[in-house]
Structures are given as structure tokens and as C-alpha cells.
Amino acid sequence: MNDDEEFMIMNVRTRFNDKKKAFMNLIKSSTALDNAFKKYKNAIMITLTIPHIFPLVYPIKQKGKIIGFIPLQDSILTQLKANMMAWIRKMWKGEDIKVFTAYEYHTDYALHLHVLIFGIPYLIDWNRKYGRKKEDALTYYVRRYNISLPSDLETKMKEGKLESKDKTLISKYVFTALLDMWLQKILVRFGSALRINILQAYLDYKKKRIQGPINEIHRIKNGKWKGKPPKDSIIEYSSGAAYRKFLSPKQYVLKYVLKMAYMIAQGSQVEVRDQGKVYGYWLFGKRHNSYSPSILPKEKKEKIPYWHFVGIYNKLDVPDYIAHNTIYDLT
């Protein structure tokens, strides 16, 4: 609307309705992952999911009226990831760590994260000594967080016969305990600010179901899964003879971005069962993914010319330094 209250209407192009924007989103993400896998031999993928017991959003009221909403589940997961990355960077101090995060929604609009961490082979640095007693990583974390391990792992640990797969499994026990500790602190802070007891809801749920926030840890080497891949990375086909296909780590974290790009390009509709997985990004204003800026090549920005006002002159009295450098004469 202008000063005369006249209106101009135009279409808004977004990644949800414009084919070019959707594919550019896919291309940038794909390029970032290609560069990261090319530069870093080792990586791990951590999947973070909080229990589906928290409100997706929490209303902010003033004088009995709702004046806004806080995206509660998003805020909890964002803070949980921040605590996790601070711990990992401290654990691997001195290492060049880069991160790619894929945000995915469940059918009920609950959010979970796939966090790819490039530049480290394990979640825990097994070669470091920890605490004042300078204990090895396993002894230190198992003791400090009172972690109960299966009897076979405890025996192997005492005898010093742990294999690589055993360390990966133990790191999951350790990591679950850390996530549980961080999540409880986050819920205390958020609950205090919002004046709701969300911590108790989590503690009640934990007694019946889980020991901590749900997580999965998968190792990646040279851009491929090392060990068992995620269960939902397996695609089964049956055309005459049944066979399986495994999504690569890159394909796995880009599956929703790719699906949306082709859906827009083909003009197809979203199936009812998948609406939460697709519309969640629009509803909550969430990016499909985020990543360390340095894993994308720097774009060469063209210098945009602009003009400065110099002054007003009689055409016959234009100074020589202007006359000699004139490239446009619009008179």
C-alpha cells in the first residue's frame, strides 16, 4: 500500500511453492555435505529425540489474552544440542570440528535432529585422561555418573578387553546419562520462566519408559556408514525378487529436502500421513538443515557500482577531473 492507499499484489516465492528455491536449498545442502565428506575422513551422526510429552508450543498470555507463542519443543532441543556441542568441543579441544544438522518432523509434528559432526572418529576421546585422578574415559564417566553397564561389558572393561564396537555401545550409555542431566537442567530453567512443572512430567515418564532422551549414535568413515546404519535407512524393494538398499549418510539426512523439491517440481499433493513431516517446517518457520558456513565454498560477490553526488555545475564550467572521467553523458 502506498500513501494514496493503493495496493500492489504479488506472489510470494518460497522454498515451499517455488521449484527454483526448493532445488537451490537442496543443492546448497548437498554441496555442503560433499565438501565436508571430502575434507573429513571421520564423522559421527547423533540423532536427538525428546519424549513426545511436551507441548509443541506454549501460549504467552497477558490479562487473560494470548499475545504470542513459544515453540517449546524446538527451544528444548536447540538448548540440548547447544549443551551437547559445547561438551563435544571441550572433549575434542584442538580438533577442527564442523557440524551439519538436519531437522525432521514426525507425523505428530514432534521434532528430532540428525547432527553430523565432522572431524572426530568417536563421541568420546578414549586416549585422554579425565578428572583429578587422571582416569581413563570409561572409568571416569561410568564412575562419575553411576552408570550401570551390562555384566559382559563390565567384565570386558575390568579385563581391558574392550573392542571398538564395545566402546561405541558404552559411549551410548555415557551419552544418555549426560543428555538426561542436561535435559533436566533445561526443564528446570524453562519451567521456572514459564511457571509450569515440565520437569515432573519428564521424571514421571522416565520412570516408566526410558533412562534419558532418546538418542542414536552412528559412525561414518569416508562418507559411508561404519557398522550398522540407522534402521530407517534401509529401503526394501520387491519386484519379482525382494532386495534391500541402504541410504548413504548424505542421502539419509537429505531425504526430506529431496522429497519436497521433487514434490513441488511435479506439483503433487502431500499425503495425509506425511503432512506433519512436510508442513512442520512451514508451521514452525524451521529450516530443513543448518551447517557450519565454512564447509560451503565462499561465493565470489560481484562489486555493485553505486554513485555519489558530487555537485551541480554549469556545463561550460565542469572541472577537468570530472570531464576527463565522464563515462555517461545524459545531457
Side-chain angles (χ1 to χ4, degrees):
M1 184 179 71
N2 61 16
D3 292 340
D4 296 326
E5 295 188 358
E6 297 171 325
F7 293 88
M8 178 168 60
I9 299 174
M10 62 186 294
N11 291 326
V12 177
R13 295 168 54 211
T14 73
R15 59 190 164 127
F16 302 107
N17 63 10
D18 184 80
K19 180 170 65 175
K20 182 178 178 181
K21 283 184 175 290
F23 275 102
M24 282 304 299
N25 187 25
L26 173 62
I27 290 168
K28 285 185 71 175
S29 301
S30 178
T31 303
L33 285 170
D34 286 340
N35 290 341
F37 282 126
K38 184 177 179 180
K39 183 176 180 181
Y40 299 96
K41 180 179 179 181
N42 293 303
I44 59 173
M45 186 185 81
I46 300 171
T47 300
L48 288 180
T49 305
I50 56 176
H52 298 190
I53 59 173
F54 306 112
L56 301 181
V57 296
Y58 187 77
I60 302 299
K61 296 181 180 180
Q62 188 177 73
K63 296 180 180 180
K65 293 183 178 181
I66 296 176
I67 60 172
F69 293 89
I70 292 177
L72 188 57
Q73 68 154 353
D74 192 335
S75 301
I76 292 171
L77 269 171
T78 298
Q79 189 59 57
L80 193 61
K81 178 194 167 187
N83 288 353
M84 177 189 78
M85 288 310 306
W87 176 77
I88 290 174
R89 292 186 187 282
K90 184 178 179 181
M91 173 75 67
W92 294 91
K93 189 175 182 180
E95 295 294 330
D96 180 26
I97 292 176
K98 296 294 182 284
V99 183
F100 183 102
T101 304
Y103 305 94
E104 294 185 2
Y105 287 91
H106 295 275
T107 54
D108 61 354
Y109 291 91
L111 181 66
H112 67 278
L113 315 181
H114 298 300
V115 187
L116 273 69
I117 304 171
F118 296 94
I120 57 175
Y122 299 100
L123 182 61
I124 296 174
D125 185 354
W126 304 105
N127 297 319
R128 280 185 57 191
K129 299 295 181 181
Y130 298 87
R132 288 177 294 179
K133 297 180 180 179
K134 299 298 179 183
E135 298 172 304
D136 63 90
L138 292 178
T139 304
Y140 174 76
Y141 279 104
V142 169
R143 178 186 58 77
R144 180 173 180 182
Y145 296 103
N146 194 27
I147 298 170
S148 297
L149 298 176
S151 57
D152 58 330
L153 287 178
E154 277 196 7
T155 302
K156 282 187 177 182
M157 190 173 81
K158 291 176 182 178
E159 295 176 354
K161 296 180 179 179
L162 288 171
E163 301 175 23
S164 178
K165 63 179 182 180
D166 297 324
K167 291 180 178 179
T168 301
L169 182 57
I170 292 176
S171 67
K172 181 176 173 62
Y173 283 96
V174 172
F175 192 54
T176 300
L178 288 169
L179 286 171
D180 178 55
M181 177 185 70
W182 296 330
L183 179 58
Q184 290 193 42
K185 290 181 179 180
I186 292 168
L187 296 179
V188 168
R189 292 203 308 271
F190 282 20
S192 176
L194 299 174
R195 297 181 181 179
I196 54 176
N197 193 354
I198 50 178
L199 173 63
Q200 191 58 51
Y202 169 66
L203 294 176
D204 291 342
Y205 180 84
K206 199 176 91 161
K207 288 177 184 177
K208 302 175 183 178
R209 306 287 183 97
I210 58 174
Q211 295 303 311
I214 303 164
N215 68 89
E216 285 189 13
I217 304 169
H218 296 277
R219 294 183 63 198
I220 300 169
K221 195 161 189 175
N222 298 322
K224 299 178 181 178
W225 302 113
K226 184 173 174 61
K228 289 184 178 180
K231 292 179 181 178
D232 56 345
S233 70
I234 302 172
I235 301 176
E236 294 188 357
Y237 299 87
S238 56
S239 54
Y243 66 95
R244 287 182 171 185
K245 176 185 176 182
F246 291 88
L247 295 178
S248 68
K250 176 185 172 181
Q251 292 170 328
Y252 184 75
V253 297
L254 291 184
K255 57 183 182 291
Y256 284 158
V257 188
L258 181 65
K259 185 175 183 179
M260 182 171 288
Y262 278 101
M263 182 185 69
I264 294 170
Q266 296 169 1
S268 56
Q269 298 295 316
V270 181
E271 294 184 25
V272 174
R273 64 179 182 180
D274 291 330
Q275 286 183 352
K277 297 179 179 180
V278 175
Y279 296 147
Y281 300 100
W282 173 82
L283 185 62
F284 295 102
K286 196 72 177 174
R287 297 173 62 179
H288 283 87
N289 48 60
S290 61
Y291 42 83
S292 302
S294 58
I295 60 177
L296 263 185
K298 291 184 179 179
E299 297 180 2
K300 292 183 179 180
K301 295 183 180 179
E302 294 183 9
K303 188 175 181 181
I304 301 175
Y306 55 90
W307 297 87
H308 294 288
F309 178 73
V310 178
I312 300 174
Y313 300 91
N314 182 307
K315 187 172 182 181
L316 300 176
D317 297 325
V318 174
D320 288 342
Y321 73 91
I322 293 179
H324 294 161
N325 291 286
T326 297
I327 56 174
Y328 295 114
D329 187 351
L330 301 178
T331 58

